[in-house]
Amino acid sequence: MNHDQARYGDETHNESLLSEKDFTEIDPGEDSALPDDLTRDSLGLPGLSEPELARHYTRLSQMNWSVEAGPYPLGSCTMKYNPSFADAVAADPNAAVHPDRDPETVQGNLELLHGLQEYLATIGGMDAVTLQPPAGAAGEFTGIAVAKAYHERNGNDRSEVIIPASAHGTNFATAAMAGYDVVELPSGEDGRVDVEALEAAVSEDTAALMLTNPNTVGLFERDITEIAELVHDAGGLLYYDGANLNALLGRARPGDMGFDIMHYNVHKTFATPHGGGGPGAGPVGVVEELAPFLPRPRVRTVGETGPAGDAATAADGGALAGHDHGHADDAAADDEYELFDPEHSIGKVHGFSGNWLVLIRAYAYIRRLGDEGLLDASAKATLNANYLASLLDLEVPYGPFHHEFAATAGDRDAADVAKGMLDYGVHPPTTKWPEMVPEAMLTEPTEVENKRSLEDLANAFNEAFADSDEELHAAPTKTASRRVDQTSAARNPRLSWHALGTDE
């Protein structure tokens, strides 16, 4: 099942630079309208036909990996396929409206944003939602900033945030950026929160406990109601990291578990693009008591009273209970919408109401799936992870798990096994993390993969795991690029093609 990735040219240049294909010197002439000191004597440009140019960029794309090419099972990342219908909705010319306009002229935009606020509040069991944070990490920071403002307004001088050792690294960074001391909480023998350790850690200094549920190795925190009581009895808040919400869609809600604040990773749960440094979205939901501290502005219907808005009355039942998925709600058809500033708002964390085109995609995805689709997504995410794990020759030390699992490479180097998997034509999982699993290979296939795709992925796992140490140390040998010195690449990145072929 070995796989040769597309390669072009010799071993030095897999695909030549455009300038190496054909380079044409252009004489700007003597009639330039620019001053002499701004005019070049000559200008070198690649001189290529359209087919050559198209093939060049096609070849470059074949030297990369994407979720359109195959599974992207990075554990904790939820690299699901982004359906093209959501892109089509966002590309509708009617959506090309600049957000800085009088609210009376953008009622359609505000209706959509208000609807998304309600959907997310209902899905998460929250009372109010802000759409403004531009990424998941920004949502984390916003949520903790809301918690800090709440404590300060109530005259509580809290200095600590408790975070499990297996938590995402952004949790630790968020708490530190907000000015808190981090109290690291060890995991119990079963991989979940050690309740006794938590009981010893909480105090009058505790501002919040940041928790992911299911946790990083896919385990549901069975003691979540007891955990919530411990934190609340100490006067702290319970923060939900929405990274793993994909496992709970339509089945359980963080608000019902006792969480006070949560952020939604719409790029993980609701199939918006991951961004790669581009526009993102990380909405934040809170209980009613915290709603006055959310960023400004938020959207509400004209005449709506109370800080929580309509989301406070969301019914139990389906994830989108009370909403008509065929068209906009009849009850809201004649509503007018306005922007308002929450009473004790922490201010703005991003421009306007967030990244509009990303939020459109999330709204379209939720509307298209509806209650049944969201239930199906969480069911298949869990089914796929468990089926894949059952096919592996590697041990999975913690279970039963939901949407992801952490296999261990045992006495093999997890990074070497991952490099070996590349030669079998698949993308490897996250490696070496979380540290609670030795030589971890954290794997999350998501709900989008079918049975054959999962079996191909399992075969690649097992074939690479069976390879000799010598073969793994040399891997990958069949990809466009060989093994990269990751440390040097991180410390001395070459961000321009001008640096290629140099030792500087």
Side-chain angles (χ1 to χ4, degrees), residues 73-76 216-218 404-407 429-431 433-434 440-444:
L74 289 172
S76 196
T216 305
V217 292
E404 66 183 340
F405 61 88
T430 302
T431 60
W433 185 78
M441 302 192 77
L442 185 61
T443 307
E444 181 180 6

Side-chain angles (χ1 to χ4, degrees), residues 120-136:
L120 294 178
T122 306
I123 288 169
M126 296 284 112
D127 294 323
V129 169
T130 174
L131 305 175
Q132 198 174 101

Side-chain angles (χ1 to χ4, degrees), residues 195-259:
V195 177
E196 291 185 2
L198 175 62
E199 191 171 7
V202 295
S203 71
E204 61 184 12
D205 292 325
T206 301
L209 166 66
M210 300 182 76
L211 197 62
T212 305
N213 194 24
N215 69 11
T216 305
V217 292
L219 306 179
F220 189 85
E221 296 290 352
R222 296 167 174 167
D223 298 318
I224 188 59
T225 54
E226 183 180 355
I227 290 169
E229 288 177 4
L230 284 172
V231 174
H232 290 154
D233 287 348
L237 299 172
L238 191 56
Y239 183 97
Y240 183 82
D241 180 334
N244 297 338
L245 183 63
N246 206 47
L248 303 182
L249 283 175
R251 301 175 184 280
R253 307 192 307 174
D256 298 335
M257 302 175 200
F259 285 92

Side-chain angles (χ1 to χ4, degrees), residues 1-5 65 69-71 420-427 460 479:
M1 202 181 82
N2 277 26
H3 169 83
D4 281 299
Q5 188 179 11
W65 187 257
M421 290 177 68
L422 294 172
D423 281 339
Y424 293 95
V426 302
H427 197 288
T479 53

Side-chain angles (χ1 to χ4, degrees), residues 96-274:
V97 178
H98 195 283
D100 191 16
R101 288 176 52 172
D102 189 298
E104 293 183 359
T105 70
V106 287
Q107 285 292 297
N109 300 59
L110 297 183
E111 180 180 351
L112 187 150
L113 294 173
H114 186 266
L116 182 56
Q117 286 176 182
E118 287 192 305
Y119 283 160
L120 294 178
T122 306
I123 288 169
M126 296 284 112
D127 294 323
V129 169
T130 174
L131 305 175
Q132 198 174 101
E140 273 188 35
F141 182 78
T142 300
I144 291 299
V146 165
K148 187 169 188 174
Y150 167 79
H151 286 306
E152 289 177 348
R153 181 156 187 85
N154 289 329
N156 296 324
D157 185 16
R158 305 266 167 164
S159 59
E160 297 176 346
V161 170
I162 303 173
I163 303 174
S166 63
H168 298 101
T170 50
N171 291 180
F172 299 92
T174 291
M177 286 179 63
Y180 287 112
D181 296 327
V182 174
V183 178
E184 188 171 311
L185 189 68
S187 298
E189 292 184 1
D190 63 352
R192 297 174 175 85
V193 168
D194 186 327
V195 177
E196 291 185 2
L198 175 62
E199 191 171 7
V202 295
S203 71
E204 61 184 12
D205 292 325
T206 301
L209 166 66
M210 300 182 76
L211 197 62
T212 305
N213 194 24
N215 69 11
T216 305
V217 292
L219 306 179
F220 189 85
E221 296 290 352
R222 296 167 174 167
D223 298 318
I224 188 59
T225 54
E226 183 180 355
I227 290 169
E229 288 177 4
L230 284 172
V231 174
H232 290 154
D233 287 348
L237 299 172
L238 191 56
Y239 183 97
Y240 183 82
D241 180 334
N244 297 338
L245 183 63
N246 206 47
L248 303 182
L249 283 175
R251 301 175 184 280
R253 307 192 307 174
D256 298 335
M257 302 175 200
F259 285 92
D260 305 292
I261 311 171
M262 68 177 292
H263 79 265
Y264 304 77
N265 286 305
V266 296
H267 58 285
K268 294 185 177 187
T269 314
F270 304 114
T272 69
H274 270 65

